[in-house]
Amino acid sequence: MEFRTQVAINEPPFHIEPCEEILFVGSCFADSIGQRFRDEAFPVTVNPYGVMYNPVSILHTLQRIDWNEMSPRTVFLTLGTNHVYRLKETGDIVDNCEKRPAALFQEEQLSVDQCADYLQQAVDLLSQVNPDIRIVLTVSPIRYRKYGYHESQLSKATLLLAINQLIHQPSNIILHYFPAYEIVLDELRDYRFYAADMLHPSVQAVEYIWERLVDSYFSSAAKDYLAEWRPLKQALAHKPFNADSTEYRTFHEQTISKLTEFRKKYPHLAL
């Protein structure tokens, strides 16, 4: 008997290679997954201008980046909500209230078509930076209590429809959807996989999503890299009882020697 359903992940048209440069932009879920890549010494950039929840703010981040200094091969865009805040004085959608009074802003909800349009602008910008860019779209599983849970679900549905609209239209750019939202709600679907606030995925849930992502997106070479890196990462994180002991000094020298050889094999290691 099966006591849970497993979310199927469509086969991606590309694979992530060892120590590949990756950009993460979006909600705090992008922070969580981006940190897992950092833990594995990938050269990643995560939300360079802060956490961005909606398609407009994600586009703003991409517009602000100096692409002469950074040109990733793969980009993850993680959408959190279709709610935006417009500064009444200028009519502009802002990314951060900068602790100004709430009365200065007007809250709005983007339609499916509006979300799809802003996402398309983001895709167009990225394709100009790198015509061979690979873009992974995700919807954050984080729930928004301030909207009410029904409204939160409607917001997620709007984002999902916008992404679906974008992915199924003709394009020369590689776009792929990773179902992080569905994995938490339809596969894990238990409050033990949420943090204490009952809104954010727990560390265990993020780890499970990471494992599903590795299984789906990583090349065999990248999976071999993770297996080689794991014992070295553990050795580097080791905290000795006595740092002056002969045993620890020998252990330390051996670890540094192994790291030197590892860097030769993986020169883009970000440690």
Side-chain angles (χ1 to χ4, degrees):
M1 296 179 66
E2 293 186 4
F3 293 97
R4 68 183 178 94
T5 55
Q6 187 170 49
V7 173
I9 301 175
N10 293 332
E11 181 70 22
F14 69 94
H15 287 105
I16 293 172
E17 299 299 335
C19 300
E20 181 180 315
E21 186 175 355
I22 304 175
L23 170 66
F24 293 85
V25 178
S27 77
C28 44
F29 182 71
D31 278 351
S32 298
I33 294 299
Q35 184 58 51
R36 283 302 286 109
F37 275 85
R38 275 200 184 118
D39 292 344
E40 307 304 335
F42 275 74
V44 299
T45 301
V46 182
N47 281 330
Y49 300 105
V51 173
M52 301 294 166
Y53 296 98
N54 63 75
V56 184
S57 296
I58 288 175
L59 175 62
H60 288 168
T61 289
L62 298 177
Q63 290 171 334
R64 293 173 65 186
I65 290 175
D66 183 355
W67 295 105
N68 294 320
E69 297 181 359
M70 181 183 64
S71 181
R73 191 180 181 196
T74 304
V75 176
F76 281 76
L77 303 180
T78 302
L79 303 169
T81 179
N82 70 327
H83 287 238
V84 298
Y85 293 87
R86 196 180 297 275
L87 184 62
K88 294 177 181 178
E89 182 181 359
T90 63
D92 295 332
I93 293 175
V94 299
D95 305 325
N96 193 310
C97 69
E98 298 176 345
K99 297 184 178 180
R100 289 178 287 180
L104 299 177
F105 303 92
Q106 176 179 323
E107 184 177 2
E108 298 177 10
Q109 296 181 51
L110 301 178
S111 67
V112 172
D113 287 341
Q114 286 175 314
C115 289
D117 179 65
Y118 283 113
L119 284 174
Q120 185 62 62
Q121 292 182 56
V123 169
D124 291 343
L125 188 158
L126 289 169
S127 66
Q128 292 171 14
V129 172
N130 182 358
D132 298 321
I133 200 84
R134 296 95 60 91
I135 303 171
V136 180
L137 298 167
T138 69
V139 171
S140 170
I142 295 168
R143 306 157 76 212
Y144 292 95
R145 181 162 47 199
K146 67 178 180 179
Y147 302 152
Y149 295 123
H150 177 67
E151 186 62 43
S152 177
Q153 291 287 67
L154 293 177
S155 176
K156 302 292 186 182
T158 300
L159 299 174
L160 290 167
L161 288 169
I163 290 174
N164 193 63
Q165 181 175 313
L166 202 67
I167 285 179
H168 286 92
Q169 66 185 20
S171 175
N172 295 323
I173 303 301
I174 294 177
L175 292 173
H176 197 255
Y177 177 68
F178 176 69
Y181 177 77
E182 291 83 351
I183 288 173
V184 172
L185 269 74
D186 296 325
E187 185 172 338
L188 300 181
R189 59 186 311 168
D190 192 299
Y191 278 113
R192 65 195 169 103
F193 293 110
Y194 282 88
D197 62 4
M198 296 292 116
L199 303 175
H200 292 74
S202 67
V203 173
Q204 187 180 23
V206 172
E207 188 63 24
Y208 181 75
I209 293 170
W210 161 257
E211 291 174 0
R212 295 294 310 275
L213 189 150
V214 168
D215 287 341
S216 302
Y217 285 89
F218 277 40
S219 68
S220 56
K223 292 175 182 176
D224 290 343
Y225 159 80
L226 289 181
E228 292 178 54
W229 167 242
R230 189 175 299 114
L232 184 55
K233 179 176 69 171
Q234 292 172 345
L236 290 169
H238 177 69
K239 297 184 184 302
F241 288 109
N242 182 3
D244 295 323
S245 67
T246 302
E247 292 81 3
Y248 177 71
R249 288 178 181 175
T250 301
F251 170 80
H252 180 72
E253 290 171 0
Q254 291 174 344
T255 300
I256 296 303
S257 177
K258 291 176 182 178
L259 179 60
T260 300
E261 293 303 311
F262 195 73
R263 282 187 183 277
K264 291 178 182 178
K265 186 174 182 179
Y266 301 105
H268 299 293
L269 184 77
L271 185 60

